[in-house]
Amino acid sequence: MNESLHLDPDQLEAGLPKVEAAPLDGGLLEMIVRRPATDEREVLTEATLSPAVGLEGDNWSLGKANPECQLTLMNARAAQLVARSRERWPLAGDQLYVDLNIGDVNLPPGTRLAIGAEAVVEVTAEPHTGCSKFVARFGLPAMEFVNSPEGRALNLRGINAKVITGGVVRVGDVVTKISAT
């Protein structure tokens, strides 16, 4: 573990205004990461989302797959803050990194998002809080920051979603709110 890669609580707080300034709608898909096996990451320029398996080729569907946790989305600005470099974003373990406000007020459970021209996903109520791997990769202050009351309201650790309509998604695709069920 390299402590120089981890921010302290004051540094994390100082970065919050930039995270909060993410678009409320019409954000961009900044990164796609497939997890073919535990602790393996593949950064993709495009991927196929499927209602049956989530992100095709991802290990989500292996074992005890919870349909409410088919995909994870993380605010790209929050990923940049805790990871400190784009190359380290995949270590968070999420599949889609979006420049979009993913807080509870903006994207409550049941909200549907169009990603690009084909895919539609729905935000689920299943919480996404992180794990010991997140602490090892980004530090305990980062875990405490994303799980603070403000961090939870903004879903800084990310949100879970399920695929409603499959399709190809690409880095640079627009992410648009289309409805709340």
Side-chain angles (χ1 to χ4, degrees):
M1 175 168 65
N2 185 344
E3 292 297 331
S4 69
L5 293 176
H6 301 168
L7 297 178
D8 67 38
D10 291 336
Q11 293 170 310
L12 291 162
E13 261 320 299
L16 189 57
K18 185 172 182 176
V19 175
E20 291 176 312
L24 297 176
D25 198 7
L28 294 179
L29 177 57
E30 295 281 341
M31 184 180 282
I32 304 166
V33 179
R34 179 170 49 209
R35 307 162 309 180
T38 301
D39 294 327
E40 289 184 20
R41 306 286 187 270
E42 296 173 348
V43 177
L44 308 171
T45 56
E46 72 176 39
T48 301
L49 301 183
S50 158
V53 298
L55 191 150
E56 290 188 2
D58 190 80
N59 70 357
W60 168 82
S61 62
L62 303 175
K64 297 179 182 179
N66 178 348
E68 298 296 301
C69 301
Q70 209 174 38
L71 289 174
T72 56
L73 287 74
M74 187 172 185
N75 176 302
R77 296 173 189 218
Q80 181 64 30
L81 179 60
V82 299
R84 303 196 64 199
S85 73
R86 189 176 181 93
E87 295 75 29
R88 289 177 37 84
W89 291 10
L91 295 175
D94 298 282
Q95 296 136 314
L96 304 180
Y97 295 81
V98 296
D99 187 21
L100 185 71
N101 179 318
I102 62 172
D104 285 334
V105 171
N106 193 46
L107 298 182
T111 302
R112 290 191 175 181
L113 300 168
I115 304 175
E118 302 174 358
V120 176
V121 303
E122 182 178 299
V123 177
T124 66
E126 194 71 30
H128 185 38
T129 58
C131 63
S132 61
K133 290 179 184 180
F134 189 89
V135 172
R137 294 167 181 162
F138 305 116
L140 183 59
M143 177 65 103
E144 291 171 344
F145 176 71
V146 300
N147 285 306
S148 68
E150 186 172 27
R152 292 298 309 137
L154 294 170
N155 288 319
L156 296 182
R157 178 57 199 98
I159 56 175
N160 283 297
K162 60 186 175 184
V163 179
I164 302 299
T165 305
V168 175
V169 297
R170 294 172 182 84
V171 170
D173 278 351
V174 175
V175 181
T176 307
K177 293 190 290 189
I178 56 174
S179 71
T181 57

